[in-house]
Amino acid sequence: MNCEVCQLKELEVEHFEIREVLRCILHTILFHRALGLVRPKDVDLELFEITYVQCGDMELERKIDEKIDQFIDRVEKHPNKKNQICLSFYEVKNKHATWFTNKVERLFWEHWYINLNVMQHPKTPSGKSHHSKLVVDPGVEARGARRAALEASLRDVLFQIIKFVNEKKDHVPSIPNVEGIPFPYEITISRCT
Amino acid sequence: MASYQEASHSEPAKMEQIITEFFAKGLHIILESRCPYVSSRNYSCEQVLSSPSPSSSSSSSSSFWPRDKWFNLSLRDCPAALENIDLWRQSNLEPMIIDVILVQRPVNNDQIISSSKSGHARNFSGKERVYYSSDNEEFGSDTKREKIIERWVLQYESKRSGVSSGSKRSTCYSHILFNKLILLMRSLYATVRLLPAYKLFRDLNSSAQIRRYNLGHRVSSFVEPFTRIEEADMQRFVFTPVDTSCGRLCLSVLYHSSVLDVSSEPSTPISPQVIQEYVGSPLAEPLRKFSSRPMSQMSPASAPFGRRHSWGYDLYRASSPLLNPSPSPTYSESYASVSKQRSRLPPASLPRQLSENTPAIHVKNPSFDEYWPSPTFTPSPSASPPIYIPGSHVSNVLLRSESAPVSIPISSRAGISSLPNNQMLPPSPPMKATRSSVVKTDARSGLYKTSSTADKLLSFEKDEVGRMSRVESSSNISPPKSFSRSSSRFSYQDDYDDSEFSGPFVVDDDDMTDLGTRPGSFDQPGHPSGSREKGSLFPVRKSQHAAVGTLVQMLKKAPSLHQDISVTSNLLQGSKHEMPKNSNQDPDEISSTPREQQSTSVNFASSGLVSPKTTAGALEELCEYKEMKNSMLKQGKSPQA
């Protein structure tokens, strides 16, 4: 079984937009991978005119919010860096408990990389770096244009997810008869250098 | 729809069933997000009452319906989808083409007040059905513009394959196919919400704004292809086909990306406004037998009587601004069929509900007082003098909901109470009919809130008004619409068979007879709550309008007013508060309280003259008055001299 990788289009977001954008993308991906019995829940973004779908799992929602909080903390601590969230799905390989190790091997079959470029607030002290982008108050019209562009980019990212899910189906493992997400997953936050 | 578990164990049967359910589920997902107010998204309130639906965030398998398990995507009912799937259950080789149609009303056509609710089906053929919102009818067939903004195509491309049905390989095909279709349905579900038309759907569903557009849909197996120019303006999104053992399942969509311009057009916020030509008004229906003409000829103070049916409008004006008082004839006719549908409802529960809900009218609609006729109302001489009708507290509420004050006493249960004695009330429909109609209103509102059986019966009515929206949000206009129409039905004067119009708006015979005695202002002055002759003037089940007509007839037959004046003049001369036992008075007639009679006849009785009963006598009296006038004038001049 091969491992498929999907690098999503990079989005430039402001600090206050991180939570909504990440929720939208992560839940969309997980909705397409929560292949057990689900009752979809439509969620409207507040900052954008986009409706995305959650799979209705409260536990999943809580975990995602936790990860988003961690991401935001990291962004605040390292404002000059590009940050990336990786959502990975894996299978648990046969557990071979040995005398020395009790390691459970994970066999990843899919990675989703969400690339966010967080624009920094001008008041935030930051060193000069080609990765950082200082946000100068552009005015209402420019802000609106930027917001519209971000909405279009976010919509593109969602369509990118849908296309990837449609085109790559063979690597998805067999779906067990469970509810919600049948596949284990993990969300990792990494830094782009 | 058989559940997946109940399907046949043979592989070809499984495959065929999966393919059939592909069409059904795809149609369900698409229509659910394109049909305003029939979306399962809006069923949250009603489904809680009618069926044990799970919460949106719960994924407990025990709360799911079996049919929701197809492709592991649990969706609520979508009647539009259920009604359109029959063809593809018989043969899944036919392509399914779903057109989402944007219906736009011209900007200048402001007279039509509409909202997007319900759906109305028109069967073109056995293979094609067009569903439009009921507002499309009101838009007018000549003025609306239709544009296909989305075309979804679901198709099973069959091909001969060498795979035998009994091989192990084919055994896995159904399982693999099912899993892949799960992914496809998830993608479809997300995609329909990302396309531009979804915003229009949300706008139509969400607010009480009057929109100049509406969404309809058409499901067919053959359509006229787009022209090159049309297709050039559209974008295509193709889902990756899913291979089966004998073919592949294809799903694609052509959509307009510029439909968002429609939603950005200024919409008209709904604000309270006076509509003169509402259903049942004399202006809208001048040909009605009910004495709208006499009413219109009356003094302006008698306007409340002319607005006899405005109470139906008033009742809902406070609760819902979305009101369409001028339906198209088709709508009225379809409403008649809906009424017939309602007649199948068990009436036993309704009277109790009516009686229980009656007092609530007072609480919910406190603004009715402004429509109560002014206390300074002075009826024309031809009108019968007002009466005082004691009754229960409930009856006061009922009066308030009636624009035309009730002057016919009925009973303690439904009678009118706490009317000011000096309040002049013109002839009006009998209280019984009023109560029934008013109570029916409340019954109707009550039904919308609590009854699920009636709603389900109504929701699947195809040829009538359409699906009666059960959205309990304030934007639901079905109750006011239907209620105003019900009031128009009350305006039929004669020969209206209430058996055709039964259901929530019909009060049983028991209720009518239980009204008890009518306050006997017809009879003796000292017995305001005297008995009435049941059935003589107000037969049960006669429409309100017919009762009013009967009343008018009575008034016309009633002896002239001056006879009463002669009586009251006697009273003024010396007698105390006492109703004269005048044999001239028809005991079934409406009569006024002595005090009110005094107020109306004070001028006539001041002379103390006894008016004769003939024309000659009246002329003589007139001459006497002239002489009196002249004498008084002379007296007035002489002091000055």
Side-chain angles (χ1 to χ4, degrees):
Chain A
M1 184 184 298
N2 55 340
C3 179
E4 298 287 345
V5 177
C6 181
Q7 286 277 357
L8 295 177
K9 177 182 170 183
E10 183 178 287
L11 297 175
E12 287 187 0
V13 297
E14 292 193 30
H15 199 274
F16 67 95
E17 295 168 338
I18 294 174
R19 188 175 297 276
E20 278 231 316
V21 169
L22 280 181
R23 268 190 188 154
C24 177
I25 295 174
L26 286 171
H27 276 289
T28 300
I29 296 171
L30 286 165
F31 175 69
H32 286 89
R33 289 293 176 253
L35 300 180
L37 184 60
V38 298
R39 188 177 187 88
K41 184 170 80 172
D42 298 346
V43 179
D44 302 326
L45 290 178
E46 294 179 3
L47 301 175
F48 311 101
E49 287 190 353
I50 292 176
T51 299
Y52 69 96
V53 188
Q54 295 183 4
C55 55
D57 189 343
M58 297 300 292
E59 182 64 22
L60 175 65
E61 200 171 338
R62 186 188 63 81
K63 287 182 182 177
I64 288 177
D65 286 342
E66 281 179 6
K67 283 297 176 181
I68 292 174
D69 292 337
Q70 293 177 14
F71 181 85
I72 292 174
D73 290 340
R74 174 167 291 203
V75 166
E76 289 174 350
K77 289 177 183 175
H78 307 280
N80 299 330
K81 303 293 181 183
K82 277 189 177 179
N83 293 281
Q84 187 179 69
I85 286 186
C86 181
L87 173 56
S88 305
F89 296 93
Y90 60 89
E91 281 183 302
V92 176
K93 217 174 178 184
N94 294 332
K95 302 176 186 179
H96 292 292
T98 63
W99 286 105
F100 304 100
T101 59
N102 194 17
K103 194 175 180 179
V104 176
E105 192 174 350
R106 295 178 175 180
L107 187 63
F108 290 92
W109 51 271
E110 195 172 76
H111 295 287
W112 296 82
Y113 292 101
I114 305 166
N115 300 295
L116 291 186
N117 194 2
V118 183
M119 292 184 286
Q120 299 301 321
H121 197 272
K123 290 183 180 179
T124 305
S126 61
K128 288 187 178 180
S129 167
H130 67 279
H131 290 296
S132 67
K133 290 190 178 180
L134 292 177
V135 177
V136 181
D137 188 14
V140 176
E141 291 183 2
R143 201 180 302 127
R146 190 204 68 81
R147 180 71 60 81
L150 176 57
E151 181 178 323
S153 296
L154 180 58
R155 206 179 290 272
D156 290 342
V157 167
L158 298 179
F159 271 108
Q160 187 181 357
I161 295 170
I162 292 170
K163 286 177 186 174
F164 184 88
V165 167
N166 268 264
E167 290 169 1
K168 314 277 186 184
K169 292 192 182 82
D170 296 332
H171 68 289
V172 179
S174 173
I175 303 169
N177 189 19
V178 295
E179 295 178 10
I181 299 181
F183 311 120
Y185 65 95
E186 67 175 14
I187 302 174
T188 54
I189 301 170
S190 60
R191 252 183 327 187
C192 297
T193 57
Chain B
M1 188 191 310
S3 66
Y4 184 61
Q5 289 77 10
E6 298 172 354
S8 169
H9 294 294
S10 67
E11 187 64 17
K14 283 184 183 178
M15 294 288 285
E16 187 159 347
Q17 187 174 18
I18 291 173
I19 293 169
T20 302
E21 294 302 331
F22 158 77
F23 286 99
K25 200 74 173 186
L27 180 65
H28 190 160
I29 292 171
I30 293 168
L31 291 186
E32 183 197 45
S33 61
R34 294 294 184 268
C35 291
Y37 298 103
V38 295
S39 165
S40 61
R41 180 183 176 127
N42 295 321
Y43 283 5
S44 57
C45 298
E46 295 77 16
Q47 289 293 334
V48 170
L49 298 171
S50 61
S51 61
S53 301
S55 65
S56 60
S57 60
S58 168
S59 59
S60 167
S61 61
S62 62
S63 57
F64 284 140
W65 293 95
R67 58 187 169 187
D68 286 340
K69 288 184 180 178
W70 276 105
F71 308 115
N72 288 349
L73 197 60
S74 173
L75 300 176
R76 293 194 183 94
D77 292 347
C78 182
L82 291 174
E83 292 164 358
N84 281 280
I85 198 56
D86 296 338
L87 171 67
W88 288 274
R89 291 201 180 280
Q90 299 167 8
S91 168
N92 51 30
L93 295 177
E94 299 279 347
M96 176 187 283
I97 301 169
I98 306 165
D99 285 339
V100 178
I101 302 164
L102 176 67
V103 183
Q104 285 181 277
R105 177 165 56 94
V107 177
N108 295 329
N109 194 0
D110 290 332
Q111 293 182 353
I112 297 173
I113 299 173
S114 64
S115 68
S116 57
K117 292 282 184 179
S118 71
H120 178 70
R122 293 185 301 172
N123 284 329
F124 285 87
S125 67
K127 293 189 174 183
E128 179 178 324
R129 284 182 180 179
V130 181
Y131 283 82
Y132 291 94
S133 153
S134 61
D135 293 331
N136 293 335
E137 306 255 347
E138 294 152 0
F139 278 14
S141 59
D142 298 330
T143 57
K144 62 183 180 185
R145 293 184 293 140
E146 296 183 359
K147 181 182 178 183
I148 299 174
I149 58 173
E150 282 183 358
R151 173 166 285 174
W152 297 84
V153 179
L154 292 82
Q155 192 170 9
Y156 174 52
E157 294 177 356
S158 173
K159 63 181 179 183
R160 289 184 181 262
S161 168
V163 178
S164 63
S165 61
S167 65
K168 277 190 177 178
R169 192 185 180 89
S170 65
T171 305
C172 301
Y173 262 122
S174 62
H175 184 70
I176 295 171
L177 175 63
F178 187 80
N179 290 347
K180 289 185 178 180
L181 287 178
I182 290 176
L183 292 167
L184 178 62
M185 291 303 158
R186 300 296 171 97
S187 302
L188 176 62
Y189 193 92
T191 303
V192 293
R193 281 151 180 78
L194 293 176
L195 294 180
Y198 185 70
K199 186 178 182 306
L200 300 181
F201 164 77
R202 291 295 302 275
D203 289 343
L204 288 170
N205 270 354
S206 57
S207 66
Q209 300 274 333
I210 299 176
R211 302 285 176 179
R212 298 188 185 280
Y213 59 89
N214 204 344
L215 285 180
H217 65 275
R218 174 171 53 217
V219 183
S220 58
S221 60
F222 60 91
V223 290
E224 190 176 326
F226 290 123
T227 61
R228 284 190 180 180
I229 298 173
E230 288 173 338
E231 202 162 327
D233 292 337
M234 304 179 83
Q235 299 180 24
R236 183 185 295 271
F237 186 86
V238 180
F239 294 83
T240 304
V242 176
D243 292 327
T244 68
S245 58
C246 300
R248 62 178 194 170
L249 294 168
C250 303
L251 174 60
S252 64
V253 59
L254 268 174
Y255 65 95
H256 272 286
S257 57
S258 59
V259 295
L260 291 176
D261 300 337
V262 175
S263 64
S264 63
E265 290 178 0
S267 61
T268 306
I270 296 172
S271 59
Q273 53 182 312
V274 177
I275 300 173
Q276 300 297 332
E277 297 181 357
Y278 51 87
V279 173
S281 73
L283 298 175
E285 296 158 344
L287 297 180
R288 289 209 180 276
K289 281 190 178 181
F290 177 67
S291 49
S292 59
R293 285 184 184 175
M295 295 307 118
S296 61
Q297 294 171 359
M298 287 173 67
S299 62
S302 65
F305 186 59
R307 293 190 291 116
R308 187 176 53 82
H309 297 296
S310 66
W311 62 277
Y313 166 74
D314 298 338
L315 182 66
Y316 285 93
R317 213 174 92 162
S319 61
S320 170
L322 289 175
L323 176 64
N324 185 5
S326 303
S328 64
T330 308
Y331 195 103
S332 298
E333 292 167 8
S334 59
Y335 177 75
S337 306
V338 172
S339 304
K340 291 179 187 177
Q341 183 70 33
R342 294 197 195 106
S343 64
R344 300 174 201 161
L345 299 175
S349 61
L350 296 174
R352 287 191 295 273
Q353 195 174 14
L354 296 177
S355 59
E356 288 166 5
N357 291 329
T358 299
I361 296 176
H362 177 63
V363 177
K364 290 177 184 174
N365 302 288
S367 62
F368 284 171
D369 291 339
E370 61 185 287
Y371 298 106
W372 192 246
S374 165
T376 59
F377 166 77
T378 305
S380 65
S382 62
S384 68
I387 55 174
Y388 170 73
I389 305 165
S392 66
H393 172 70
V394 170
S395 58
N396 184 30
V397 169
L398 295 172
L399 248 190
R400 290 184 174 188
S401 62
E402 171 70 39
S403 62
V406 175
S407 57
I408 302 173
I410 298 182
S411 71
S412 60
R413 183 172 163 179
I416 305 167
S417 67
S418 68
L419 271 181
N421 289 333
N422 59 351
Q423 200 161 15
M424 306 304 187
L425 306 178
S428 65
M431 190 57 190
K432 194 187 304 183
T434 304
R435 173 182 177 279
S436 64
S437 55
V438 170
V439 172
K440 287 167 190 177
T441 304
D442 194 67
R444 179 132 179 86
S445 61
L447 278 177
Y448 268 99
K449 288 181 180 179
T450 61
S451 169
S452 61
T453 306
D455 291 340
K456 283 191 174 178
L457 284 173
L458 294 174
S459 66
F460 290 95
E461 190 66 36
K462 296 179 189 177
D463 299 330
E464 278 68 65
V465 171
R467 294 166 194 84
M468 309 294 282
S469 172
R470 290 178 285 155
V471 176
E472 199 179 355
S473 62
S474 59
S475 59
N476 191 346
I477 64 167
S478 298
K481 265 191 182 177
S482 56
F483 186 71
S484 61
R485 289 184 184 83
S486 67
S487 61
S488 71
R489 299 188 76 84
F490 292 152
S491 65
Y492 285 113
Q493 184 180 13
D494 300 317
D495 302 327
Y496 184 68
D497 185 9
D498 269 344
S499 62
E500 294 181 7
F501 190 66
S502 57
F505 292 90
V506 170
V507 180
D508 283 344
D509 290 340
D510 294 337
D511 269 355
M512 303 305 286
T513 54
D514 285 341
L515 292 175
T517 61
R518 193 176 56 192
S521 53
F522 299 168
D523 304 324
Q524 306 301 323
H527 303 279
S529 303
S531 62
R532 69 175 174 90
E533 296 180 5
K534 297 181 183 180
S536 59
L537 290 176
F538 309 104
V540 178
R541 292 191 175 272
K542 200 162 187 180
S543 67
Q544 180 185 2
H545 226 110
V548 171
T550 308
L551 175 62
V552 169
Q553 294 294 327
M554 282 188 329
L555 293 173
K556 287 180 181 175
K557 293 176 187 175
S560 55
L561 193 62
H562 59 267
Q563 294 179 357
D564 296 329
I565 295 169
S566 65
V567 173
T568 56
S569 64
N570 291 330
L571 290 175
L572 286 173
Q573 285 172 356
S575 62
K576 294 239 174 173
H577 173 82
E578 190 178 320
M579 200 62 180
K581 299 179 183 181
N582 196 341
S583 59
N584 293 327
Q585 272 194 338
D586 191 344
D588 292 331
E589 285 179 73
I590 302 168
S591 61
S592 62
T593 59
R595 195 178 300 177
E596 291 164 2
Q597 286 178 336
Q598 292 171 17
S599 59
T600 54
S601 59
V602 61
N603 293 326
F604 294 97
S606 59
S607 63
L609 296 175
V610 177
S611 56
K613 297 179 182 180
T614 63
T615 307
L619 287 172
E620 289 176 9
E621 187 180 356
L622 179 63
C623 293
E624 290 171 0
Y625 286 146
K626 280 186 180 176
E627 289 173 4
M628 285 174 59
K629 173 192 166 185
N630 293 332
S631 65
M632 288 172 69
L633 285 173
K634 287 178 185 174
Q635 289 175 5
K637 286 180 182 175
S638 57
Q640 293 175 1

